[in-house]
């Protein structure tokens, strides 16, 4: 601007254009431009019209690929380099990689800006959000990862938690009922994640689990499901899942009775909010929770029974199969009869056709096959009560060689071997774990976890065979030389 001012002043004094251009080291056109300019007011910085680019022809293809990426795994999305490769190799585009990189960068920014616009949601008193988290527990001596159910009340920011064996509708309903009974009321509305066992939202259609339909009708609360991949719509419980895990599940909890642990857990959750100021409202969370409770619906006179009933025909040994790979025993006298199976969150009841309960078992979860008649069901308890080894069902069902080996171990060795069997059973079932233990004993002379795991994998995938015999003589020479050198020292 100083140079422009000099041009205009010297031009008004009558100096020649050539002398002004020479002294200020600018062109004559520049002198004429600013000397005759009528308005030097600041101009609004409006973007100029986009100049034609080689990318204009190929932009629709790139945009489509980037939009398709939004539905793919994050690790399998297009990089700018891969897009340039596809443009040049598949479409024959004559465009520089740097040009493609600039366009992809701007396109991703444009898409990101459109996806990251959130509403500032306001939650009234009495409403709740629910979700699941995962954490490690040592349950009766066995380390395992279990889901935990969290209900958050956004108005007060209070969060309550229950550890559950799964995420199915029985666990969702049981976790909610435990919390309803604890707080003495029912939230007016509950927001669910699409992944919970209550149901799911597909576009504008909500599909509910049969048990949850009856549960919500029994307690009378409204339910809503957030949009897929829209965790911010229930941000209160998303934050509470992590906060409760850090506050109450570190270090890894050791649990013997899950029911007792869950009842104490509710009190511990409420203690976290006692005297704690709400992050935005400036009042105590426990005080605000009284307003939540005032808005709750009243509990019905009778509690809800969180159970799903199925019919199953018992096999020749009187066992019924549930959830694909889990077998539950009754008695051989019920062989071939149709039984009524009651699936609860943590237990399974089996009744005859008249409704008389004839057996009750802990409910099994996971992909590994289980059978309540298998000794595997006794292994977790045996690991904590080793004095009962000689009379245990586990010992009686082991092969002679494995049983004799374990009989000869001291208490510590027996405990290590029993725990190794227990952990392998969780992955391979009883038969697979016994075979793996026999393979370990044959190869290593002891029950070794790593050897058992390797043997189990070999059983699952089959042994490796080679066309030609493997010659290991090449390894003997350096080993022999090392042995002689060691003897020389």
């Amino acid at each position: 601007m100083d140079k422009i001012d000099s041009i205009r002043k010297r031009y008004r004094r009558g100096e020649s254009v050539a002398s002004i251009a020479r002294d200020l080291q600018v062109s004559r056109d520049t002198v004429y431009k600013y000397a005759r300019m009528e308005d030097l007011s600041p101009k609004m910085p409006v973007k100029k019209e986009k100049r034609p680019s080689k990318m204009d022809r190929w932009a629709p293809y790139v945009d489509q690929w980037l939009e398709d990426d939004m539905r793919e795994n994050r690790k399998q999305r297009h990089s700018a380099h891969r897009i340039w490769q596809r443009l040049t190799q598949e479409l024959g585009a004559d465009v520089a990689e740097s040009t493609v990189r600039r366009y992809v960068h701007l396109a991703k920014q444009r898409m990101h800006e459109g996806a990251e616009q959130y509403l500032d949601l306001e939650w009234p008193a009495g409403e709740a959000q629910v979700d699941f988290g995962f954490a490690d527990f040592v349950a009766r001596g066995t380390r395992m990862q279990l889901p935990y159910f969290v209900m958050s009340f956004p108005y007060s920011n209070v969060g309550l938690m229950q550890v559950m064996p799964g995420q199915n509708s029985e666990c969702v309903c049981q976790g909610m009922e435990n919390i309803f009974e604890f707080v003495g009321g029912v939230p007016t509305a509950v927001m669910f994640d699409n992944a919970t066992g209550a149901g799911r939202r597909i576009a504008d259609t909500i599909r509910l689990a049969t048990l949850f339909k009856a549960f919500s009708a029994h307690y009378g609360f409204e339910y809503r499901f957030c949009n897929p991949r829209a965790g911010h719509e229930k941000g209160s419980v998303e934050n509470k899942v992590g906060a409760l895990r850090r506050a109450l599940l570190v270090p890894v909890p050791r649990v013997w009775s899950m029911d007792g642990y869950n009842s104490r857990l509710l009190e511990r959750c409420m203690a976290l909010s006692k005297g704690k100021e709400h992050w935005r409202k400036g009042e105590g969370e426990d005080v605000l929770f009284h307003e939540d409770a005032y808005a709750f619906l009243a509990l019905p006179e009778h509690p809800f029974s969180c159970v799903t009933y199925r019919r199953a025909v018992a096999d020749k040994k009187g066992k019924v199969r549930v959830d694909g790979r889990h077998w539950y025993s009754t008695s051989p006298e019920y062989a071939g009869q149709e039984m009524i199976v009651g699936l609860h969150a943590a237990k399974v009841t089996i009744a005859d056709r008249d409704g008389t309960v004839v057996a009750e078992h802990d409910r099994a979860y996971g992909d590994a096959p289980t059978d309540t008649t298998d000794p595997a069901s006794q292994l977790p308890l045996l690991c904590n009560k080793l004095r009962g080894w000689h009379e245990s069902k586990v010992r009686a069902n082991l092969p002679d060689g494995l049983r004799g080996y374990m009989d000869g171990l001291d208490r510590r060795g027996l405990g290590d071997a029993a725990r190794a069997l227990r952990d392998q059973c969780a992955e391979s079932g009883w038969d697979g774990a016994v075979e793996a233990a026999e393979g370990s004993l044959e190869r290593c002379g002891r029950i070794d976890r790593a050897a058992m795991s390797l043997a189990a994998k070999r059983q699952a995938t089959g042994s490796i065979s080679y066309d030609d015999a493997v010659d290991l003589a090449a390894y003997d020479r350096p080993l022999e030389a090392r042995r002689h050198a060691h003897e020389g020292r």
Side-chain angles (χ1 to χ4, degrees):
M1 186 55 69
D2 291 340
K3 192 170 287 189
I4 294 172
D5 187 36
S6 296
I7 291 172
R8 293 171 67 85
K9 286 179 179 177
R10 293 177 66 173
Y11 185 78
R12 283 196 295 268
R13 288 198 298 264
E15 295 184 28
S16 67
V17 171
S19 64
I20 296 173
R22 185 174 55 254
D23 292 345
L24 297 179
Q25 297 181 344
V26 295
S27 68
R28 294 186 180 187
D29 290 342
T30 299
V31 175
Y32 280 120
K33 174 184 175 181
Y34 289 109
R36 297 172 180 177
M37 187 176 286
E38 295 180 357
D39 187 5
L40 290 178
S41 302
K43 300 295 188 295
M44 183 178 293
V46 178
K47 289 185 178 180
K48 298 179 180 179
E49 291 187 9
K50 182 182 176 183
R51 293 182 297 176
S53 167
K54 285 188 175 182
M55 279 301 300
D56 292 345
R57 179 182 174 186
W58 312 111
Y61 296 98
V62 177
D63 290 346
Q64 185 61 53
W65 293 341
L66 293 175
E67 288 177 11
D68 291 343
D69 276 353
M70 300 298 288
R71 296 186 289 273
E72 301 295 341
N73 187 317
R74 288 182 178 273
K75 295 184 178 181
Q76 289 181 273
R77 295 180 179 178
H78 285 82
S79 64
H81 178 71
R82 178 59 182 147
I83 288 175
W84 173 74
Q85 284 182 324
R86 292 192 64 184
L87 288 175
T88 55
Q89 296 172 8
E90 298 177 18
L91 303 177
D94 180 19
V95 59
E97 184 175 355
S98 59
T99 303
V100 175
R101 286 186 177 277
R102 283 194 297 272
Y103 181 82
V104 170
H105 176 70
L106 294 173
K108 286 184 176 181
Q109 279 189 331
R110 185 173 65 249
M111 292 180 179
H112 185 69
E113 287 171 0
E116 295 295 326
Q117 297 177 5
Y118 297 156
L119 291 174
D120 186 9
L121 302 176
E122 189 69 33
W123 293 82
E127 295 194 358
Q129 302 173 4
V130 300
D131 201 0
F132 277 97
F134 287 90
D136 285 346
F137 296 83
V138 178
R140 295 194 174 187
T142 304
R143 189 182 181 105
M144 61 182 69
Q145 187 178 75
L146 293 173
Y148 58 94
F149 177 83
V150 176
M151 178 176 286
S152 169
F153 301 90
Y155 181 82
S156 60
N157 200 39
V158 169
L160 300 172
M161 174 171 63
Q162 291 285 271
V163 181
M164 288 288 150
Q167 298 184 81
N168 50 33
S169 56
E170 292 84 22
C171 292
V172 172
C173 294
Q174 189 62 62
M176 293 181 70
E177 185 172 65
N178 292 350
I179 293 174
F180 292 171
E181 295 290 336
F182 176 74
V183 301
V186 180
T188 55
V190 183
M191 171 71 83
F192 290 87
D193 185 89
N194 244 20
T196 61
R200 62 178 53 250
R201 175 179 176 177
I202 302 174
D204 294 329
T205 303
I206 295 177
R207 297 179 181 176
L208 296 179
T210 303
L211 180 66
F212 180 76
K213 284 183 183 179
F215 182 82
S216 61
H218 182 87
Y219 283 103
F221 60 86
E222 299 290 333
Y223 51 82
R224 297 193 294 272
F225 289 82
C226 69
N227 291 301
R229 298 183 298 277
H232 62 278
E233 294 183 4
K234 54 179 183 59
S236 172
V237 72
E238 292 275 349
N239 293 330
K240 196 61 69 176
V241 165
L244 291 178
R245 179 175 58 241
R246 292 187 293 271
L248 299 178
L249 304 182
V250 177
V252 175
R254 295 183 174 272
V255 182
W256 185 262
S257 168
M258 193 59 72
D259 289 340
Y261 179 77
N262 273 332
S263 63
R264 295 189 299 273
L265 197 55
L266 293 171
E267 295 287 354
R268 295 174 65 197
C269 289
M270 283 302 302
L272 293 176
S273 293
K274 188 174 182 180
K276 181 183 176 184
E277 188 175 282
H278 190 281
W279 62 278
R280 185 173 65 180
K281 298 179 180 178
E283 294 185 65
E285 291 181 354
D286 52 345
V287 175
L288 291 170
F289 188 68
H290 287 299
E291 298 181 36
D292 267 324
Y294 184 77
F296 286 162
L297 305 174
L299 285 170
E301 183 177 353
H302 299 286
F304 185 82
S305 181
C306 302
V307 56
T308 298
Y309 289 106
R310 298 181 188 173
R311 293 185 180 274
V313 177
D315 69 2
K316 294 179 180 180
K317 297 179 181 179
K319 295 186 291 185
V320 296
R321 185 170 65 178
V322 177
D323 295 335
R325 307 185 73 185
H326 304 301
W327 291 87
Y328 299 93
S329 62
T330 57
S331 172
E333 66 183 274
Y334 295 105
Q337 294 188 25
E338 187 178 66
M339 311 297 289
I340 302 172
V341 182
L343 300 177
H344 303 256
K347 68 178 181 178
V348 172
T349 57
I350 304 174
D352 61 18
R353 64 187 65 183
D354 297 324
T356 302
V357 176
V358 298
E360 182 176 305
H361 302 281
D362 291 337
R363 185 171 180 178
Y365 285 85
D367 296 328
T370 63
D371 189 332
T372 56
T373 60
D374 277 349
S377 62
Q378 298 293 313
L379 266 171
L381 186 60
L382 177 64
C383 290
N384 291 281
K385 297 181 180 293
L386 290 174
R387 287 191 178 89
W389 161 252
H390 287 283
E391 294 77 26
S392 69
K393 190 176 181 180
V394 173
R395 180 183 180 278
N397 284 271
L398 287 176
D400 292 341
L402 199 55
R403 184 191 311 119
Y405 166 76
M406 295 184 69
D407 282 345
L409 296 173
D410 59 17
R411 183 179 177 83
R412 180 174 180 179
L414 179 62
D416 290 341
R419 285 188 287 273
L421 270 175
R422 176 199 65 192
D423 296 342
Q424 192 61 51
C425 276
E427 296 182 16
S428 311
W430 170 257
D431 292 336
V434 169
E435 288 184 32
E438 286 186 302
S440 172
L441 187 60
E442 180 182 347
R443 291 176 176 81
C444 306
R446 67 183 188 279
I447 294 181
D448 178 79
R449 285 178 180 269
M452 285 179 64
S453 178
L454 182 60
K457 288 181 173 62
R458 283 176 176 166
Q459 293 164 16
T461 59
S463 59
I464 301 173
S465 61
Y466 298 93
D467 294 334
D468 300 319
V470 180
D471 183 10
L472 300 178
Y475 295 95
D476 294 336
R477 289 189 292 273
L479 290 173
E480 188 70 17
R482 184 175 180 183
R483 185 176 66 82
H484 287 311
H486 180 72
E487 290 174 353
R489 287 199 298 272

